Amino acid sequence: MGVLPVPAEVRAILLDIEGTTTPIAFVQETLFPYIKDNVKEYLRAHWEEEECQRDVGLLRKQAQEDSYLDGAVPIPLESGSGEEELERVIQAVVDNVHWQMSLDRKTTALKQLQGHMWRAAYATGLVKGEIFEDVVPAIRKWREAGMKVYIYSSGSIEAQKLLFGYSTEGDILELFDGHFDTKIGPKVESESYRRIAASIGCATNNILFLTDVPREANAAEEADTHVAVVIRPGNAGLTDDEKSYYSLISSFTELFLPSST
């Protein structure tokens, strides 16, 4: 590692979040445990609200679709027969959420409830999005050099904006020109990067993608997107072949933009 020159044709930098801008530990040890520890209390507090009922409705529909899966947790309908029944329904939702999270599922129903819970946690200061200390100064320099900067993450766009809007560095949403999530396509499929380029209004080789996941890097490369793999504390290790094949950086400060000289 050291200094990595950015190809002259690059006009936009596309950033992954987990393991790239943000420690994996923040997601695994703060965000997800917050959901597990607080979902019952959240449901009790917001049960009568329309948004919460929509979330529960989506989870119930997902539970019906999952009924054939081993260990799936059904969510019964309420019949309005009192507090005891309500507690049973809430417990079923809690058990369903815990079951989905134990399998690391990415269903829309689960992500929607999680997003609403995180929104409340960020807004009340219970959670702040963690950002590596080199990230903000580097992005400011890139933007001064004329680069556009975008986020592409498996987490929903709402969850991305919460993390950067309520971060340890303050509200840094102004640093980003746009956000993409898996609605544009999976991160391990090359077509997703072609769609992003089309959305940005550039060629795929005008983009540099920074990620900690070789499968994502490979998909981006297949679309003729420039790639660097980010090495951060807590990230999964790379094979010797991956280390020798990919351009590697351990800090955003290692990127050298020719246009900034």
Side-chain angles (χ1 to χ4, degrees):
M1 289 177 280
V3 173
L4 178 65
V6 175
E9 69 261 32
V10 169
R11 298 287 177 266
I13 297 179
L14 184 64
L15 302 174
D16 170 47
I17 294 179
E18 188 179 352
T20 299
T21 66
T22 297
I24 284 178
F26 171 68
V27 178
Q28 295 180 345
E29 298 171 16
T30 298
L31 286 185
F32 288 147
Y34 176 83
I35 301 294
K36 289 179 181 175
D37 295 345
N38 292 280
V39 63
K40 181 181 279 189
E41 183 182 338
Y42 176 87
L43 290 168
R44 283 174 173 162
H46 299 277
W47 190 260
E48 300 299 330
E49 297 171 17
E50 187 178 333
E51 181 178 82
C52 186
Q53 283 300 304
R54 284 199 304 270
D55 292 347
V56 171
L58 267 185
L59 286 164
R60 186 177 283 121
K61 184 180 177 187
Q62 184 64 52
Q64 291 167 347
E65 292 174 13
D66 293 340
S67 59
Y68 69 95
L69 295 175
D70 187 38
V73 181
I75 301 173
L77 288 164
E78 288 177 82
S79 62
S81 60
E83 203 64 33
E84 196 173 310
E85 186 210 41
L86 175 60
E87 276 300 308
R88 276 200 301 272
V89 175
I90 288 176
Q91 188 59 53
V93 178
V94 171
D95 292 343
N96 180 279
V97 167
H98 285 180
W99 172 73
Q100 289 203 61
M101 292 181 70
S102 73
L103 299 176
D104 194 28
R105 303 189 79 210
K106 312 287 188 189
T107 64
T108 299
L110 178 62
K111 287 203 291 187
Q112 181 166 299
L113 176 67
Q114 288 173 332
H116 292 151
M117 286 185 64
W118 286 326
R119 182 181 63 200
Y122 281 116
T124 54
L126 288 172
V127 172
K128 283 188 182 294
E130 290 185 34
I131 311 291
F132 287 114
E133 63 181 14
D134 57 278
V135 170
V136 171
I139 293 177
R140 291 196 194 282
K141 283 188 177 178
W142 300 343
R143 292 179 64 87
E144 285 168 12
M147 285 287 173
K148 299 284 190 181
V149 182
Y150 298 87
I151 296 292
Y152 182 28
S153 172
S154 298
S156 69
I157 288 174
E158 182 182 19
Q160 296 172 29
K161 289 183 175 180
L162 287 169
L163 191 155
F164 293 116
Y166 296 93
S167 84
T168 48
E169 304 293 324
D171 182 351
I172 58 171
L173 283 172
E174 65 177 14
L175 297 180
F176 306 109
D177 295 281
H179 298 257
F180 299 96
D181 59 18
T182 50
K183 286 179 181 173
I184 200 93
K187 296 172 75 181
V188 294
E189 291 184 6
S190 57
E191 187 58 33
S192 303
Y193 300 90
R194 296 186 185 98
R195 291 191 193 113
I196 287 173
S199 175
I200 291 172
C202 67
T204 51
N205 72 344
N206 296 142
I207 298 173
L208 170 64
F209 178 47
L210 304 185
T211 179
D212 63 311
V213 181
R215 283 184 68 209
E216 296 174 3
N218 185 54
E221 274 200 337
E222 285 179 1
D224 200 26
T225 297
H226 296 283
V227 170
V229 172
V230 184
I231 311 294
R232 298 285 199 184
N235 287 7
L238 303 177
T239 66
D240 288 342
D241 285 348
E242 289 165 346
K243 288 176 185 175
S244 62
Y245 178 77
Y246 291 109
S247 298
L248 308 176
I249 60 170
S250 60
S251 166
F252 285 7
T253 59
E254 293 170 13
L255 287 184
F256 174 71
L257 274 57
S259 59
S260 65
T261 57

